Amino acid sequence: MCAHVLVAEDDAMQAELIRRSLLAEGHTATVVHDGPAALDAARRLSPDLVVLDLMLPVIDGFGVCRALRRDDDVPVLMLTARAAEDDLLLGLELGADDYMTKPYSPRELMARIRTVLRRSGRAASRRDDPAVRAAGLAVDPERHEVTCDGVPVECTPAEFQILLTLAGEPERVFSRRQLLQCTRGFDRSSTERAVDVHIMNLRRKIEADPRRPVRLLTVFGVGYKLGGGRA
């Protein structure tokens, strides 16, 4: 089962651990770090599941869950360092589907996510076409296939992971360091400069004119993004 999971966690290290665990399970992930960003991403991206930290800045997890429940039935798995029974009951009353207290093991979190996804059936309804689509690209994490305007594209594992990350959040700018992190496990010896080589090779494969890219764009001084929006 391949799902798109929205991770709302203000601790950057925890968020990255969750994101990498999700990718290892074959899911795609969008990460945000505060309440307003979580609500915006949920409305724009229609995720299959929200992993929601309670201690978010600006709008806390309770407020985010309350707002989500007014608009959608997206499953919510709450995370918190507070183990008080009142917090647990309030989270469940607001409509959370599951609740985990920190610290937790990534393996247990992934098991809980699988259970919630199975129960909700949202990801299962998309199983016939699990591809992430943006800017004329279709990146299929189950079959490990990429097409560009319907034409198959051969990618290395690191190139595939970069495209999957970029296509999951079109128009978001990713730094070289973030893109390097998403290739860990495929190319352990890479440096941030190696990301530029992967991008150059991908442009040769998906751009009509690699010297004047319209899909895989450079944001000078910051990093790269996939332009063109979600298909």
Side-chain angles (χ1 to χ4, degrees):
M1 183 181 299
C2 175
H4 181 199
V5 181
L6 172 61
V7 179
E9 167 64 75
D10 68 330
D11 184 307
M13 291 184 64
Q14 287 287 326
E16 179 60 15
L17 177 62
I18 297 170
R19 188 188 71 82
R20 293 176 67 175
S21 297
L22 287 166
L23 293 179
E25 293 265 322
H27 304 303
T28 59
T30 298
V31 175
V32 297
H33 300 294
D34 61 52
L39 291 173
D40 176 68
R43 289 163 182 156
R44 284 189 299 106
L45 303 176
S46 298
D48 298 307
L49 172 72
V50 179
V51 176
L52 180 63
D53 181 39
L54 285 187
M55 304 300 289
L56 292 175
V58 189
I59 303 174
D60 67 12
F62 290 127
V64 171
C65 189
R66 188 179 292 112
L68 288 175
R69 282 291 168 263
R70 286 198 295 265
D71 303 327
D72 197 1
D73 62 351
V74 58
V76 174
L77 193 160
M78 283 187 169
L79 303 175
T80 182
R82 304 187 308 199
E85 185 179 34
D86 287 348
D87 289 336
L88 168 60
L89 293 176
L90 179 56
L92 296 176
E93 287 171 3
L94 288 173
D97 296 82
D98 203 350
Y99 192 107
M100 290 188 68
T101 56
K102 300 177 182 179
Y104 54 81
S105 76
R107 289 181 63 189
E108 181 184 2
L109 177 60
M110 292 303 109
R112 297 281 193 98
I113 285 173
R114 287 194 296 271
T115 298
V116 173
L117 287 171
R118 269 199 309 271
R119 208 159 51 212
S120 73
R122 284 173 68 112
S125 67
R126 305 184 191 191
R127 199 174 294 166
D128 289 342
D129 184 14
V132 179
R133 299 176 183 276
L137 298 169
V139 187
D140 188 330
E142 290 189 2
R143 299 179 179 87
H144 210 274
E145 295 174 349
V146 177
T147 60
C148 180
D149 295 331
V151 179
V153 177
E154 293 294 328
C155 293
T156 68
E159 290 168 359
F160 180 89
Q161 201 59 52
I162 287 173
L163 271 188
L164 182 61
T165 299
L166 293 171
E169 297 182 71
E171 302 295 343
R172 175 185 166 182
V173 181
F174 287 83
S175 69
R176 289 179 178 85
R177 181 181 296 272
Q178 289 170 318
L179 293 175
L180 178 64
Q181 288 174 339
C182 83
T183 69
R184 292 299 192 196
F186 301 106
D187 192 357
R188 293 182 182 276
S189 63
S190 287
T191 65
E192 288 184 31
R193 299 301 298 175
V195 171
D196 296 333
V197 176
H198 292 315
I199 294 293
M200 180 179 65
N201 290 334
L202 282 169
R203 282 176 173 158
R204 290 182 181 137
K205 298 174 181 181
I206 68 172
E207 300 283 1
D209 184 351
R211 294 170 299 178
R212 297 179 178 84
V214 296
R215 288 186 170 102
L216 197 42
L217 306 176
T218 300
V219 179
F220 292 101
V222 185
Y224 298 100
K225 71 175 183 177
L226 194 66
R230 189 174 294 280

